[in-house]
Amino acid sequence: METIATRLAILPFPEIDPVIFTIGPLAVHWYGLAYVAGILLGWLYARRIIQNQALWRDSTPALNATQLDDFLLWAAAGIVLGGRVGYILFYDLGSVLQNPIRAIEIWNGGMSFHGGLLGTTLAIIIFARRNAIPIWSLLDVVAAVVPIGLFFGRVANFINGELWGRLSSMPWAIVFPTGGPFPRHPSQLYEAALEGILLLSVLAYLVFRRKALKTPGLICGIFVCGYAASRIFVEFFREPDAQIGYLAGGWLTMGMLLSLPMALAGIWAIARARRAAAAAA
């Protein structure tokens, strides 16, 4: 018998097991693979960037391949630790205070991009200072490759059937197994397209065609602005976290609130980069 859900749902949710395979007690999840793929592919892309001397001021890359390899572990730690701590502080503090062991239960809530951004930024600053690398140039390199990780992460969110969107009657709406009986926006795929594919393409054009790395801080600022704008836009289609809901007006979400200062910081970084470039000319 046809139900309301089957009449409204145009696209069925793909039956993809969140667990790729198991070896004894070890289960390999798509989400974990997304983190590994994002970090490794980002590393390979970053190596290509720093090896292209024509992209850099005075044909001198700000760091070498060995330094980039050493930074990989710092980046991974910043992403994971910052992402988890950020999720706890921004989205789940009450539950963790009641049950502190929940802090290490990554499967309960997961990670926060904004927390991961702060953690990675801190790792960049410390690593750059310890290795005499210009901070803004290292920020630029990392910013140029971050959309790769964002793309894989959002696709993994979709496969896991989590962070789905609001109710929708669009022909591409999907009934998620954990999202109730009605179709919803596949907001994870919106984010994968905007934060991942589109942002990566824009930054690649600026790096390789416009030689933006010769203006330290410009790529970083554009990335931060681009992510903030994409996230704020998608938040209008994404269901807010159940434990928080809307912060005000039936539309303002925590994702929007956290992205607003990002946009301002990005604008400041772009202006600073241009002023510094003009002063050096």
Side-chain angles (χ1 to χ4, degrees), residues 58-96:
D58 300 324
S59 299
T60 305
L63 68 160
N64 57 46
T66 300
Q67 291 172 324
L68 178 64
D69 295 348
D70 291 341
F71 176 69
L72 188 63
L73 182 60
W74 287 69
I79 292 169
V80 175
L81 295 177
R84 184 55 183 166
V85 172
Y87 182 84
I88 293 170
L89 293 177
F90 301 146
Y91 297 98
D92 204 31
L93 184 58
S95 298
V96 172

Side-chain angles (χ1 to χ4, degrees), residues 2-160:
E2 186 180 47
T3 65
I4 295 177
T6 57
R7 287 201 301 270
L8 293 177
I10 304 301
L11 297 177
F13 183 79
E15 296 183 6
I16 304 176
D17 193 334
V19 178
I20 306 173
F21 61 86
T22 58
I23 302 177
L26 176 65
V28 178
H29 292 73
W30 285 106
Y31 198 68
L33 181 62
Y35 268 86
V36 173
I39 291 173
L40 291 182
L41 290 178
W43 167 66
L44 292 173
Y45 184 38
R47 284 179 68 94
R48 179 186 174 190
I49 290 174
I50 66 172
Q51 289 170 353
N52 190 336
Q53 296 182 352
L55 301 178
W56 298 88
R57 182 185 297 172
D58 300 324
S59 299
T60 305
L63 68 160
N64 57 46
T66 300
Q67 291 172 324
L68 178 64
D69 295 348
D70 291 341
F71 176 69
L72 188 63
L73 182 60
W74 287 69
I79 292 169
V80 175
L81 295 177
R84 184 55 183 166
V85 172
Y87 182 84
I88 293 170
L89 293 177
F90 301 146
Y91 297 98
D92 204 31
L93 184 58
S95 298
V96 172
L97 291 176
Q98 292 179 359
N99 179 24
I101 196 67
R102 185 180 174 90
I104 61 175
E105 296 176 349
I106 297 179
W107 56 91
N108 276 331
M111 317 285 276
S112 160
F113 168 79
H114 296 92
L117 177 67
L118 292 174
T120 305
T121 300
L122 180 60
I124 289 171
I125 293 172
I126 296 173
F127 184 85
R129 287 181 173 174
R130 290 184 60 175
N131 292 273
I133 298 171
I135 293 176
W136 283 108
S137 291
L138 184 54
L139 284 167
D140 284 343
V141 172
V142 174
V145 306
V146 167
I148 297 174
L150 290 174
F151 171 78
F152 283 110
R154 295 312 182 190
V155 171
N157 290 148
F158 178 77
I159 292 174
N160 287 347

Side-chain angles (χ1 to χ4, degrees), residues 138 144 152 188 233 254 265:
L138 184 54
F152 283 110
Q188 315 97 320
F233 174 76
M254 180 61 77

